[in-house]
Amino acid sequence: MIFLGASPCGAGGRAFRGLLCGTLQTECLDYHNEPMGAAEMQEIIDEWIFRYENQRPHEGLGFLTPREFENSFYSSEHPAVS
């Protein structure tokens, strides 16, 4: 995954993690009102992560999915990214 802006480990990481956790909560977990075990919750979260990275367009990426953005970034000519 490419992180633009705040690094998840840097000073802005807390805000980034909070935004991601809030999105996960509202788009994934809030729809399940029944108690669930850890294995079921992990399966639901894994499916959400796949959709988030591969199918859900992101406004900040020009309405591309993160995967589409990453592919277009690396397919165009860019100086070495370290």
Side-chain angles (χ1 to χ4, degrees), residues 2-40:
I2 296 175
F3 295 105
L4 301 175
S7 164
C9 300
R14 186 180 320 165
F16 174 82
R17 288 188 305 271
L19 177 63
L20 185 62
C21 289
T23 302
L24 172 67
Q25 181 73 41
T26 58
E27 291 186 5
C28 180
L29 300 177
D30 284 351
Y31 293 107
H32 300 278
N33 297 324
E34 299 175 12
M36 63 183 98
E40 184 181 4

